[in-house]
Amino acid sequence: MEKETVDQLIRETMKQAGLSDAFIADFILKVDAVRNGETGIVRWEEVGDLDPKSDEISLESIHESYPLDTTLLSKLVVIKLNGGLGTSMGLDKAKSLIPIKGNLSFLSVMAKQIEYLRNKYGIDVPLLFMDSYNTQEDSQKELNHSGFKQSLRSSFLQHKVPRLDAKTFAPIKTDVEKENWCPPGHGDIYFTMMEEGILDELLSKGFEIAFLSNGDNLGATVDPQIVSYLLKENIHFAMEMTPKTLADKKGGAIYRKLVGGKMIQYELLETAQVPKEHEHEFSGLGKFRTFSTNNLWINLRALKERFQKGNFSLSLIVNPKQVSGKDVIQLETAMGSAVGNFSKFKGIIIPRDRFAPVKKTEDYLIRRSDAYVLNEDYSLTMTKERKQKGLGEVLVSLDEKFYKKIQQFDALFVALPSLVECEELIVEGEILFDIPVKIKGKVKFQNVSGSLKKISSLSKAEFENQIISL
């Protein structure tokens, strides 16, 4: 199929879906890059290390040197990414609507975090959600139902882009219209804010700093002293980074892009951009000491100025998928890769507490269990008891055949186990956790019988450093 024909097909498909000419033109540029051999894979020799002295600052140092200033806090807006359906967990609605602590959903907790902040400082910090076509209606309903109020709109819609045939790059056409489209990655947030007039609206109302984070990370609460630091030191872009552990093999990392040994700019490196032969290096604990949490702080004036200069660029991620047995590609960008557009960057080294995401049912079990607690400010963090024992992130592995989807998980975890003293939990085979049990150290349950077994059949309430066969 000719390039012109394909481009025309893309243009017509996106136009019919109500997408703007500017957004369509930007997408066709990305398609062109892939057509010309762009894979999104980085050149490993260009991946340089950050300088801890000049590129990083610890949250501890910020707390010591930049006191809270409520006049600066009033310049803050909080934006949460809420476009995810949680399809990897078998969900067909916004992941943020499922319960995370007791009966409280992610969305309710995020609203309570902001209400706590407003009450504590007497400042109406606004909360905005970047929703997708799939999440907006249900999420807004839940937000209204919870009684959350503000004068600013609380939602804006991210774009959608066509999935492309891996060979021809033409938009795919399946019987299920939803399957033909995909989100363009959270890097879309900047384009959307500009196009929807949100950036100008926020600036006109005196907001200067935006705190952006994933809706499934309830550790990402507002730290007012970070706002003081950013505005006093005129930092345009900051990413919260935390030391890497064995649980963080896929975490992206900020690096210095080197060409001919000279630094060109900062860049974000995501798993999908790493050459195959260097994947072990990327996922190990050697080259990258920290990884980016996707909690980022951006100066809105600097963002507007950078947009006006033109060529605002984000690294392209080419994501291969299969839809209805066909090989397709999804073209995506990550919001953290906007770092390449700013020289006034800082990596803020944070404790693990500010990073508690839920991507799989394993994460869901950890956060729902007693290893994590909802604090007074509604942040979700590891319990003090666990920290005092020197325990890090719990490592959990659940048999994908029986626990991958949330419906399966809910049916088999009728009673949540105590994980406050657990280092590692492995579950193989179909096991119903029908009574509360306590897991300590490293424990593996294996059911090789081929039929459902109940944990109660073991007639024990505590398991420590052992392998149990049912």
Side-chain angles (χ1 to χ4, degrees), residues 302-317:
L303 178 63
K304 170 85 176 176
E305 282 165 21
R306 182 61 193 79
F307 254 117
Q308 285 171 331
K309 279 183 189 167
N311 296 325
F312 186 89
S313 65
L314 299 167
S315 311
L316 184 61
I317 299 168

Side-chain angles (χ1 to χ4, degrees), residues 279-442:
E279 279 177 357
H280 65 287
E281 219 178 321
F282 176 73
S283 60
L285 303 177
K287 184 171 176 65
F288 297 101
R289 298 165 293 108
T290 61
F291 70 96
S292 62
T293 59
N294 222 33
N295 301 349
L296 63 88
W297 303 77
I298 193 155
N299 183 300
L300 296 175
R301 288 189 192 286
L303 178 63
K304 170 85 176 176
E305 282 165 21
R306 182 61 193 79
F307 254 117
Q308 285 171 331
K309 279 183 189 167
N311 296 325
F312 186 89
S313 65
L314 299 167
S315 311
L316 184 61
I317 299 168
V318 182
N319 200 348
K321 295 263 180 184
Q322 273 223 332
V323 175
S324 305
K326 269 186 187 170
D327 287 333
V328 304
I329 54 169
Q330 296 183 178
L331 302 188
E332 302 170 9
T333 57
M335 70 178 184
S337 71
V339 67
N341 298 283
F342 301 95
S343 55
K344 291 180 178 175
F345 159 78
K346 265 295 193 271
I348 302 174
I349 308 300
I350 57 160
R352 186 55 183 244
D353 269 356
R354 292 181 62 77
F355 185 68
V358 175
K359 303 296 178 198
K360 296 174 163 185
T361 52
E362 280 97 338
D363 305 320
Y364 190 53
L365 173 60
I366 296 166
R367 313 293 174 233
R368 291 216 74 182
S369 80
D370 58 358
Y372 272 73
V373 66
L374 211 50
N375 302 298
E376 183 199 2
D377 64 353
Y378 289 94
S379 60
L380 184 71
T381 63
M382 200 183 283
T383 59
K384 283 198 175 82
E385 189 185 341
R386 191 171 173 80
K387 286 185 232 168
Q388 281 160 2
K389 290 181 187 293
L391 295 168
E393 184 64 283
V394 191
L395 292 176
V396 171
S397 171
L398 302 175
D399 195 321
E400 282 212 342
K401 189 178 172 188
F402 302 104
Y403 297 93
K404 186 177 182 184
K405 303 217 159 125
I406 201 86
Q407 298 84 348
Q408 296 173 301
F409 175 92
D410 286 341
L412 290 171
F413 277 103
V414 176
L416 293 170
S418 167
L419 299 181
V420 76
E421 294 180 60
C422 175
E423 288 174 60
E424 185 174 13
L425 170 65
I426 299 170
V427 182
E428 290 176 0
E430 190 178 16
I431 300 170
L432 171 63
F433 286 76
D434 56 331
I435 59 162
V437 292
K438 193 174 180 68
I439 314 287
K440 292 173 155 188
K442 297 181 179 183

Side-chain angles (χ1 to χ4, degrees), residues 113-126:
Q113 288 174 348
I114 295 297
E115 286 167 346
Y116 173 86
L117 195 71
R118 290 174 179 176
N119 292 334
K120 185 170 180 180
Y121 299 109
I123 295 167
D124 273 339
V125 176

Side-chain angles (χ1 to χ4, degrees), residues 81-231:
L81 303 179
N82 190 45
L85 277 183
T87 45
S88 60
M89 290 165 67
L91 287 163
D92 57 1
K93 61 176 182 179
K95 190 204 294 183
S96 60
L97 298 179
I98 60 173
I100 184 65
K101 273 295 178 193
N103 295 321
L104 286 177
S105 67
F106 287 86
L107 201 74
S108 306
V109 173
M110 285 184 271
K112 285 185 179 297
Q113 288 174 348
I114 295 297
E115 286 167 346
Y116 173 86
L117 195 71
R118 290 174 179 176
N119 292 334
K120 185 170 180 180
Y121 299 109
I123 295 167
D124 273 339
V125 176
L127 171 64
L128 274 66
F129 290 95
M130 181 167 84
D131 286 305
S132 67
Y133 289 87
N134 297 315
T135 64
Q136 190 177 46
E137 194 181 336
D138 287 347
S139 297
Q140 282 296 296
K141 213 178 276 178
E142 165 128 348
L143 208 58
N144 293 334
H145 182 68
S146 74
F148 184 81
K149 287 185 173 59
Q150 63 185 32
S151 55
L152 219 66
R153 65 171 122 175
S154 57
S155 170
F156 59 95
L157 263 186
Q158 72 177 76
H159 290 102
K160 59 179 182 177
V161 293
R163 284 184 165 131
L164 307 175
D165 183 290
K167 288 195 181 77
T168 65
F169 303 119
I172 65 163
K173 280 193 163 46
T174 68
D175 296 338
V176 185
E177 178 62 12
K178 247 169 49 170
E179 293 285 321
N180 301 332
W181 298 89
C182 62
H186 39 61
D188 182 52
I189 194 165
Y190 308 110
F191 211 108
T192 304
M193 284 173 71
M194 275 298 288
E195 216 172 54
E196 297 284 311
I198 292 164
L199 186 55
D200 287 336
E201 186 185 348
L202 290 171
L203 286 168
S204 72
K205 288 181 159 57
F207 296 106
E208 288 183 37
I209 296 286
F211 176 40
L212 284 59
S213 64
N214 291 0
D216 66 7
N217 176 16
L218 296 178
T221 51
V222 170
D223 186 314
Q225 286 174 260
I226 293 180
V227 182
S228 299
Y229 164 69
L230 298 172
L231 287 169

